[in-house]
């Protein structure tokens, strides 16, 4: 397009004074450039024809904007020569003009048939200067950038622009190629001073470049987004193709197929399998976004993860089992025997159902831990669930799936946790199960425990039967009484009555101390707890049938020693009885009651609590008054009544001359009688303190001392009879624990001594009584010395 032979051309072409003029509306023609032009306009064709026939020279001038006259032209234009020309069959003419020089329009000389004007050549004003040099270089760089970015400019222009030595022509070349408005082009054309021209042009090129850069940024962003989306689409399509190839059509189908496979592995029994298949089909038809979908999916998960066919192999080696049981627990022979019997029967008859055992005993007697040990001996998984405070049937049997957030009950949950369908399942605190408007959990539990029903236990959530008959259930309770009879009926009760001092010493030495040492990072060289210290802990820091507190106190000692060793204060410790104060603080219980001085008006009763037996002290005192009976210490109705009965009996004695008691006849006329049972904040009730009340009252009235070494229990009647009571074994053990020497019991309770360990029986004297008088006889000593307050 660019004719570099300018010098030649200039020499070769001399412009005449007058030229035919082609007015241009939108186009500005620059010197040195080739301009194509096509026209069908008759005047223009005539002009071109005439020129072609002559010197071929034409003048181009642009029309001013909004011009109305043909003659309304800019004064600066370009002279050009016709380089090539075609006539097309439709009569139009196509011409290539070669631009030559800038010309100035001096005067229009002809209008019709086409314009003619007098013109004058305008020479470029070039002043070589560093500024011009810099402008030129800058312009070239800018233009090259424009060429890079502008989609419609050929790359060759980058080279072409470097080969234009004349700055004025360079500017014209650039101005002709970039995107400028006609007015702007005209401004460049009119700039005769080349420095001015380039300066002006630089502004326009810069603007153009900015526009192009912005455009390209927008473009590339759009392209980036496009490619990301395209890539994803492409990958998805590929995935689909692969799945199709493998016979898996889409994600959903993959999931459903996977579920189906896992269901097959779970080996569901036929009924459950049918239900699972139905649910699976429902799931396949649901849109994954539906709330129902998750519900259905969760249900299937439960079905899949239950141990329908997973079980552990029982270890039927009886001698090994016996060894394991002995390793973990001292004594408890009844429990161990029962487990070994069961194993023996299983060996002979493999489909024997597990017994449902119920361990009953005070806290800390090893119920839970022996359960764990049995699981270990049998090689079964162990799961434990506390029934304490459960009032809702759904806790056992689950909620129906129609409830939002429904889950299976705790039995099924426990089995899932066990991952085996024959674990040892321990149901703790079966005596603390409750019932209210939400249904009776005991009834649900009955279904769980009843061997006649539990092979098809239906959890509300699962809604299909699960076979519980291989599970070995063991329940625990502190006392038998609150256990619903229907449940009790199906269980085999084994009592864990609590331990004597000697047994505790033994267990501490063999089990508790080693266990606590290990838990606290100590070894036997670092801490020795002497036997006398253990006995002293049992007597003075704990008063319990079980071992909980003993273990806790031993743990406290271990921690204190561990700390001293860790701090580098000592290397090892030997704990004797007289050092216990340093470790455990002051004594918590009085053991040496029997050794204390006898007192008037205080009798020691033996009481039964869910934690085993315990001592209670009944105090009675006379104060001046009118025979009122004051009872304090949170006594229940039955206990208050037995206090009243005791008082009435004592009063009745005054009427009888033959009594050995020296009771003032009018004591109740001048005195009020106050009976108090300390530990006033703990509610107490029951008839078995009757005998203790009577002794305390009689002592207060007669001023005779009550022996400190004697404990008693027994219900009384108005007529002075003593009736049998319950919990004899625990009460006797409590007396023994507290260091008493003698125990007064109702005669009818003698048979109950069978349950009391021999060693305890040997250390206590038992006095069996049929009447209150006999009890008073045994409990009261001689009169107190004189300085007692008068009554
Ligand atoms: N005969 C025993 N031989 C060895 N350790 C025993 C014996 N009896 C109980 N223990 C230990 O005494 C602690 C308390 O026992 P466990 O927790 O089993 O009592 P529990 O009867 O379940 O009490 P609770 O009724 O309060 O649940 C345990 O650390 C246990 O190992
Ligand atoms: Mg327990």
């Amino acid at each position: 397009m660019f004719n570099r032979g300018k010098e030649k051309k200039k020499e070769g072409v001399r412009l005449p004074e007058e030229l035919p003029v082609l007015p241009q509306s939108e186009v500005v023609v620059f010197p040195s450039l080739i301009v194509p032009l096509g026209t069908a306009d008759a005047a223009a064709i005539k002009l071109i024809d005439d020129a072609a026939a002559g010197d071929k020279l034409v003048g181009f001038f642009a029309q001013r904007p909004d011009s109305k006259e043909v003659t309304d032209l800019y004064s600066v234009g370009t002279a050009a020569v016709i380089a090539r020309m075609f006539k097309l069959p439709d009569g139009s003419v196509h011409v290539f003009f070669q631009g030559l020089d800038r010309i100035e329009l001096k005067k229009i000389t002809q209008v019709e048939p086409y314009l003619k004007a007098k013109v004058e050549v305008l020479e470029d004003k070039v002043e070589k200067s560093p500024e011009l040099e810099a402008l030129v270089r800058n312009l070239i760089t800018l233009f090259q950038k424009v060429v890079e970015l502008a989609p419609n400019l050929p790359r060759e222009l980058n080279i072409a622009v470097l080969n234009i030595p004349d700055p004025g022509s360079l500017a014209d070349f650039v101005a002709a190629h970039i995107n400028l408005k006609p007015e702007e082009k005209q401004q460049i054309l009119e700039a005769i001073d080349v420095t001015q021209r380039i300066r002006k042009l630089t502004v326009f090129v810069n603007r153009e470049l900015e526009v192009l850069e912005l455009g390209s940024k927008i473009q590339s962003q759009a392209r980036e987004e496009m490619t990301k989306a395209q890539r994803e689409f492409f990958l998805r399509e590929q995935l689909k193709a692969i799945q199709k190839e493998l016979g898996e059509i889409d994600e959903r189908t993959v999931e459903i197929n996977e579920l189906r496979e896992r269901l097959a592995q779970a080996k569901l029994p036929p009924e459950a399998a049918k239900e699972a298949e139905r649910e699976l089909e429902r799931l396949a038809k649901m849109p994954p976004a539906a709330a129902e979908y998750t519900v259905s999916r969760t249900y299937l998960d439960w079905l899949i993860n239950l141990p329908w066919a997973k079980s552990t192999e029982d270890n039927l080696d009886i001698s090994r089992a016996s060894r394991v049981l002995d390793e973990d627990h001292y004594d408890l022979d009844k429990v161990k025997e029962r487990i070994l019997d069961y194993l023996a029967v299983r060996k002979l008859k493999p489909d024997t159902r597990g017994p449902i055992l119920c361990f009953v005993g005070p806290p800390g007697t090893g119920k839970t831990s022996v359960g764990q040990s049995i699981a270990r001996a049998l090689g079964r998984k162990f799961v434990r669930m506390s029934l304490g405070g459960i009032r809702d049937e759904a806790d056992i049997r689950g909620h129906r799936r129609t409830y939002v957030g429904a889950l299976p009950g705790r039995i099924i949950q426990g089995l899932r946790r066990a991952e085996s369908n024959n674990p040892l399942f321990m149901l703790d605190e079966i005596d603390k199960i409750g019932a209210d408007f939400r249904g009776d959990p005991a009834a649900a539990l009955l279904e769980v425990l009843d061997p006649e029903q539990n092979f098809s236990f239906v959890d509300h959530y699962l809604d299909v039967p699960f076979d519980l008959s291989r599970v070995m259930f063991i329940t625990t309770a502190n006392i038998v009484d609150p256990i619903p009879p229907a449940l009790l009926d199906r269980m085999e009760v084994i009592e864990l009555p609590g331990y004597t001092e000697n047994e505790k010493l033994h267990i501490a030495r063999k089990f508790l101390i080693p266990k606590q040492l290990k838990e606290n990072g100590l070894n036997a060289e670092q801490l020795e707890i002497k036997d006398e210290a253990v006995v002293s802990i049992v007597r003075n820091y704990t008063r319990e049938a079980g071992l909980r507190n003993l273990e806790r106190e031993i743990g406290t000692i271990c921690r204190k020693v561990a700390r001293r060793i860790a701090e580098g204060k000592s290397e090892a410790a030997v704990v004797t009885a007289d050092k216990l104060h340093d470790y455990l603080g002051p004594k918590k219980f009085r053991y040496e009651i029997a050794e204390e001085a006898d007192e008037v008006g205080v009798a020691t009763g033996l009481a039964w609590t869910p934690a085993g037996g315990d001592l209670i002290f009944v105090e009675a005192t006379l104060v001046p008054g009118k025979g009122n009976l004051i009872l304090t210490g949170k006594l229940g109705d039955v206990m208050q009544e037995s206090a009243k009965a005791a008082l009435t009996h004592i009063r009745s004695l005054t009427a009888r001359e033959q009594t050995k008691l020296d009771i003032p006849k009018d004591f109740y006329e001048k005195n009020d009688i106050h009976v108090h049972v300390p530990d006033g904040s703990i509610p107490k009730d029951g008839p078995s303190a009757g005998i203790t009340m009577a002794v305390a009252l009689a002592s207060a009235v007669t001023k005779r001392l009550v022996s400190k070494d004697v404990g008693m229990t027994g219900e009384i009647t108005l007529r002075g009879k003593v009736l049998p009571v319950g919990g004899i074994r625990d009460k006797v053990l409590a007396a023994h624990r507290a260091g008493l020497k003698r125990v007064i019991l109702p005669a009818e309770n003698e048979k109950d001594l069978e349950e009391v360990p021999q060693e305890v029986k040997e250390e206590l004297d038992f006095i069996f009584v049929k009447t209150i008088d006999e009890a008073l006889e045994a409990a009261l000593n001689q009169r107190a010395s004189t300085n007692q307050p008068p009554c």
Side-chain angles (χ1 to χ4, degrees):
M1 275 171 103
F2 181 66
N3 185 348
R4 268 176 287 143
K6 189 170 175 175
E7 304 304 318
K8 203 169 57 184
K9 175 196 76 201
K10 269 197 171 172
E11 279 158 22
V13 182
R14 276 206 59 81
L15 290 180
E17 256 188 354
E18 195 179 44
L19 281 179
V21 170
L22 271 172
Q24 298 294 306
S25 59
E26 292 294 344
V27 183
V28 176
V29 178
F30 283 97
S32 323
L33 285 152
I34 290 170
V35 187
L37 184 91
T39 181
D41 179 61
I45 292 174
K46 172 130 182 66
L47 183 154
I48 290 164
D49 278 344
D50 289 355
D55 59 5
K56 302 188 171 160
L57 294 170
V58 182
F60 283 98
F61 287 95
Q63 278 177 327
R64 288 181 191 276
D66 307 317
S67 59
K68 292 181 186 76
E69 302 282 320
V70 201
T71 51
D72 196 5
L73 301 171
Y74 281 115
S75 60
V76 180
T78 304
V81 58
I82 295 172
R84 200 171 289 172
M85 170 180 147
F86 324 87
K87 286 209 165 173
L88 295 184
D90 64 358
S92 68
V93 177
H94 285 251
V95 191
F96 287 94
F97 292 98
Q98 163 76 60
L100 297 173
D101 280 313
R102 280 178 168 70
I103 46 174
E104 190 176 7
L105 189 150
K106 287 293 180 196
K107 193 178 171 209
I108 294 182
T109 53
Q110 176 189 309
V111 179
E112 290 297 334
Y114 49 81
L115 285 179
K116 267 189 174 178
K118 281 200 169 157
V119 295
E120 213 178 276
V121 173
L122 294 169
E123 292 292 343
D124 279 358
K125 266 198 233 157
V126 190
E127 217 171 280
K128 291 244 155 103
S129 69
E131 193 201 350
L132 182 64
E133 179 71 29
L135 281 168
V136 166
R137 285 195 206 164
N138 183 44
L139 185 65
I140 291 173
T141 325
L142 285 176
F143 182 69
Q144 284 179 328
K145 280 191 194 159
V146 170
V147 172
E148 285 298 323
L149 292 173
N152 55 339
L153 295 181
R155 287 291 158 92
E156 289 77 12
L157 293 180
N158 271 343
I159 312 290
V161 78
L162 293 173
N163 292 320
I164 306 171
D166 167 43
S169 305
L170 175 75
D172 290 347
F173 179 84
V174 171
H177 282 101
I178 64 168
N179 217 352
L180 293 182
K181 289 188 201 125
E183 305 91 82
E184 291 166 346
K185 288 197 173 178
Q186 186 64 37
Q187 282 178 35
I188 300 299
L189 193 67
E190 285 176 8
I192 304 302
D193 184 333
V194 173
T195 313
Q196 285 283 341
R197 190 188 301 166
I198 298 183
R199 222 183 261 148
K200 218 172 237 168
L201 186 62
T202 304
V203 175
F204 295 144
V205 178
N206 259 323
R207 189 198 60 201
E208 175 71 4
L209 189 60
E210 230 165 82
V211 172
L212 283 171
E213 267 171 357
L214 204 64
S216 106
K217 203 164 141 197
I218 293 168
Q219 268 264 317
S220 73
Q221 267 174 3
R223 199 175 312 131
E224 220 166 81
E225 262 161 43
M226 266 295 279
T227 49
K228 214 167 122 196
Q230 268 172 344
R231 199 177 112 84
E232 227 166 79
F233 174 76
F234 180 67
L235 287 176
R236 257 181 227 296
E237 287 300 299
Q238 252 182 342
L239 188 70
K240 261 193 208 163
I242 291 169
Q243 283 173 339
K244 216 170 202 164
E245 200 64 23
L246 293 173
E248 300 161 345
I249 293 77
D250 58 24
E251 240 173 274
R252 281 286 297 294
T253 323
V254 175
E255 188 181 357
I256 303 278
N257 287 347
E258 193 193 319
L259 285 173
R260 185 166 282 126
E261 202 170 295
R262 287 174 60 202
L263 274 169
Q265 281 166 7
K267 300 210 183 71
L268 274 62
E271 197 175 329
K274 223 165 89 192
E275 179 66 29
E277 187 52 41
R278 249 202 353 242
E279 192 66 33
L280 202 59
E281 263 161 35
R282 248 163 55 79
L283 187 76
K285 287 186 201 121
M286 259 182 249
E292 274 277 287
Y293 187 85
T294 330
V295 174
S296 188
R297 184 65 229 253
T298 313
Y299 175 67
L300 283 167
D301 266 344
W302 272 100
L303 288 184
I304 287 168
N305 288 310
L306 281 180
W308 300 95
K310 267 196 261 173
S311 54
T312 53
E313 183 103 11
D314 276 352
N315 192 329
L316 297 174
D317 180 345
I318 298 177
S319 59
R320 179 190 161 272
S322 167
R323 207 176 58 240
V324 169
L325 293 174
D326 284 338
E327 253 167 42
D328 294 347
H329 289 87
Y330 173 82
D331 195 24
L332 300 179
D333 291 337
K334 255 201 222 165
V335 183
K336 292 176 182 169
E337 286 293 306
R338 182 64 189 85
I339 298 306
L340 297 179
D341 288 354
Y342 164 71
L343 273 184
V345 175
R346 268 218 68 147
K347 211 166 178 174
L348 300 179
K349 188 170 178 289
D351 57 351
T352 319
R353 286 189 186 139
I356 293 165
L357 302 179
C358 178
F359 295 161
V360 177
T365 46
K367 300 181 293 297
T368 305
S369 67
V370 85
Q372 276 166 326
S373 175
I374 293 169
R376 191 161 85 90
L378 294 178
R380 291 195 180 201
K381 296 271 176 70
F382 180 82
V383 249
R384 186 176 157 263
M385 149 186 183
S386 177
L387 296 168
I390 285 191
R391 305 188 164 280
D392 189 348
E393 190 190 349
D395 276 331
I396 307 281
R397 219 206 293 260
H399 283 288
R400 297 198 182 282
R401 251 179 301 149
T402 40
Y403 286 91
V404 175
L407 274 184
R410 298 228 237 143
I411 301 288
I412 292 296
Q413 291 187 18
L415 285 167
R416 178 171 172 172
R417 236 181 309 136
E419 295 176 345
S420 146
N421 64 16
N422 64 341
L424 194 158
F425 206 126
M426 182 159 254
L427 301 164
D428 261 338
E429 306 193 58
I430 197 166
D431 52 340
K432 306 211 174 51
I433 192 168
D436 65 10
F437 63 94
R438 284 168 293 189
D440 183 359
L445 209 53
L446 196 61
E447 215 171 288
V448 172
L449 296 180
D450 187 352
E452 301 300 321
Q453 307 180 42
N454 71 6
F455 61 89
S456 67
F457 169 71
V458 179
D459 182 281
H460 284 333
Y461 179 84
L462 292 187
D463 214 19
V464 288
F466 191 96
D467 181 2
L468 296 178
S469 63
R470 305 187 60 198
V471 178
M472 181 168 181
F473 286 104
I474 294 185
T475 62
T476 78
N478 288 134
I479 38 178
V480 174
D481 298 351
I483 304 177
L487 280 178
L488 194 58
D489 218 35
R490 283 163 177 85
M491 300 186 295
E492 196 177 320
V493 174
I494 297 181
E495 302 214 21
L496 283 75
Y499 303 100
T500 62
E501 194 173 285
N502 235 327
E503 287 169 338
K504 287 185 183 175
L505 175 61
H506 221 93
I507 296 173
R509 228 191 277 150
K510 242 188 111 198
F511 298 96
L512 305 182
I513 296 176
K515 188 166 143 200
Q516 287 300 324
L517 284 177
K518 199 166 153 211
E519 260 172 39
N520 290 288
L522 295 170
N523 58 39
E525 277 89 64
Q526 288 169 311
L527 171 60
E528 185 192 343
I529 303 179
K530 294 274 188 206
D531 285 357
E532 42 137 4
V534 175
V535 171
S536 175
I537 297 173
V538 170
R539 288 181 177 175
N540 299 312
Y541 290 88
T542 71
R543 182 173 286 168
E544 57 177 355
L547 298 157
R548 227 353 87 79
N549 291 320
L550 176 59
E551 187 172 9
R552 194 173 299 140
E553 301 292 353
I554 291 172
T556 309
I557 295 175
C558 290
R559 278 196 303 282
K560 297 224 156 123
V561 171
R563 181 163 159 202
R564 263 185 231 171
I565 291 176
E567 287 175 345
K569 288 187 187 155
S570 76
E571 301 240 302
V574 177
V575 177
T576 55
D578 37 315
K579 282 204 202 140
L580 283 180
H581 188 277
D582 299 345
Y583 290 100
L584 304 175
K587 293 178 180 176
K588 292 175 185 158
F589 298 97
R590 288 183 298 155
Y591 174 74
E592 298 85 2
I593 304 169
E595 269 89 63
E596 289 173 10
D598 295 347
E599 271 181 277
V600 167
V602 185
T604 309
L606 302 177
W608 185 87
T609 67
D614 205 351
L615 300 192
I616 58 166
F617 300 94
V618 175
E619 300 172 346
T621 238
L622 299 191
V623 287
K626 293 208 170 88
N628 294 321
L629 178 62
I630 306 160
L631 297 169
T632 55
K634 276 226 165 168
L635 309 184
D637 289 347
V638 179
M639 211 159 183
Q640 293 192 13
E641 280 161 16
S642 55
K644 285 172 193 161
L647 178 62
T648 307
H649 179 73
I650 303 292
R651 276 175 63 180
S652 75
L653 287 183
T654 60
R656 284 190 270 153
E657 294 305 330
Q658 76 276 27
T659 178
K660 292 180 199 145
L661 293 169
D662 188 8
I663 300 175
K665 280 202 168 77
D666 55 352
F667 80 94
Y668 54 89
E669 285 167 7
K670 296 183 189 157
N671 297 290
D672 282 348
I673 300 138
H674 188 162
V675 173
H676 177 67
V677 185
D679 273 346
S681 60
I682 301 167
K684 307 163 196 79
D685 206 0
S688 70
I691 197 170
T692 323
M693 303 259 189
V695 169
L697 278 169
S699 162
V701 171
T702 60
K703 301 286 165 288
R704 281 176 64 175
L705 299 165
V706 183
S707 281
K708 273 287 176 192
D709 67 348
V710 65
M712 59 202 81
T713 182
E715 182 175 350
I716 53 169
T717 69
L718 267 188
R719 323 264 303 271
K721 289 249 160 35
V722 174
L723 302 181
V725 291
I728 294 299
R729 185 197 55 213
D730 290 339
K731 289 173 177 173
V732 170
L733 286 175
H736 181 256
R737 269 203 297 281
L740 299 183
K741 300 281 181 277
R742 297 186 295 148
V743 178
I744 301 174
L745 297 175
E748 279 182 57
N749 279 120
E750 188 169 357
K751 59 179 180 352
D752 296 315
L753 282 193
E754 240 175 65
E755 297 172 20
V756 177
Q758 197 53 37
E759 76 174 88
V760 174
K761 278 196 269 194
E762 279 166 14
E763 288 180 24
L764 288 172
D765 282 338
F766 296 95
I767 304 148
F768 298 103
V769 296
K770 287 192 173 124
T771 63
I772 296 180
D773 291 0
E774 287 171 30
L776 295 179
E777 197 55 42
L780 298 180
N781 288 341
Q782 75 285 11
R783 255 183 107 94
S785 46
T786 47
N787 53 357
Q788 288 288 321
C791 48

